[in-house]
Amino acid sequence: MEQGGVTHHSPTQVLRNLNKIRFLRIELPSGELGIDDGVLLRWRADFGSTLDSCVILGAASVTKNVNLPVTECGNDGFCPNNSIANVDDNGSIPESFYTNGGLKLRVVWTISSLIAASTRHYLLQPIIAEHKTLDSLVLTDADGQGVLCMNRDQLEELRVKPLSASSASKRMLVPALNMRLWYAPQLELPDGVVLKGATLVAIRPSEQSASKKEISDASWLSTAFEEPYGTAAKILVNRRTYCLEMNSFGDELFWNS
């Protein structure tokens, strides 16, 4: 303790005298993303020497409808009560989404989440280099905004492959990306949670091997988030898919449907 506050130490300092760590979970005191009250933004990213995958779930607002009946949704995202997944269109994004700033906001969410994830990855380098017995490493935050995960193979990949890092911005460089986006103007979940402007974005590097999990694999996307947001992901992937490309980190997004 110091006068007037607490002395904060970096994870590298705290772990310096510990040996043979196998499982490590670090929780930051808060998330990096400054979002308005009532806005939902969650992300999960998996890294090796670079980004393997990232999934982002966002909503312009989150409310609670106490009058909704509690109904279980199936594994495929189908809810037997039509009021649960409020789909009153054919899954297409309305024209107003492009003109009222909706698309621009989702692009900001995506880039901000990728910056947060790549910055966390950069900060973990000293820990990964020093603790070679690690089997699993998770870096989360108390706000529940984002989770960065690395398994044993990904940790070893980071140790043996050269890193592409930006020393000026202190974050890892992100490769060219392929993205899939799903949108619903309103999504009503089984526990009464209502998401307005619900958006799911799945991201993988453009050059990733086809043998890897498909970017639209519902099981990968739905398990990225705790409930009720896992159910939201299951429902969203059954709607129309929109494709985006990012040539390199921070470059212009090219929108295709």
Side-chain angles (χ1 to χ4, degrees), residues 164-183:
S164 298
S166 171
S167 58
S169 58
K170 295 188 176 180
R171 60 171 173 81
M172 305 307 297
L173 298 180
V174 177
L177 302 171
N178 285 335
M179 308 183 190
R180 299 290 185 271
L181 182 146
W182 298 267
Y183 174 82

Side-chain angles (χ1 to χ4, degrees), residues 124-175:
L124 289 173
Q125 289 180 76
I127 295 174
I128 295 169
E130 187 169 338
H131 297 277
K132 294 181 171 56
T133 58
L134 277 171
D135 288 332
S136 173
L137 177 57
V138 175
L139 180 54
T140 184
D141 61 82
D143 293 335
Q145 279 187 2
V147 180
L148 184 149
C149 301
M150 300 181 71
N151 60 31
R152 184 174 184 82
D153 291 340
Q154 291 168 326
L155 291 162
E156 187 60 26
E157 178 185 301
L158 179 60
R159 295 188 188 102
V160 300
K161 286 188 177 180
L163 302 176
S164 298
S166 171
S167 58
S169 58
K170 295 188 176 180
R171 60 171 173 81
M172 305 307 297
L173 298 180
V174 177

Side-chain angles (χ1 to χ4, degrees), residues 70 118 122 134 140 142 147 169 174 177 185 195 201 203 257:
V70 176
S118 61
Y122 179 89
L134 277 171
T140 184
V147 180
S169 58
V174 177
L177 302 171
L195 306 181
V201 182
I203 304 169
S257 63

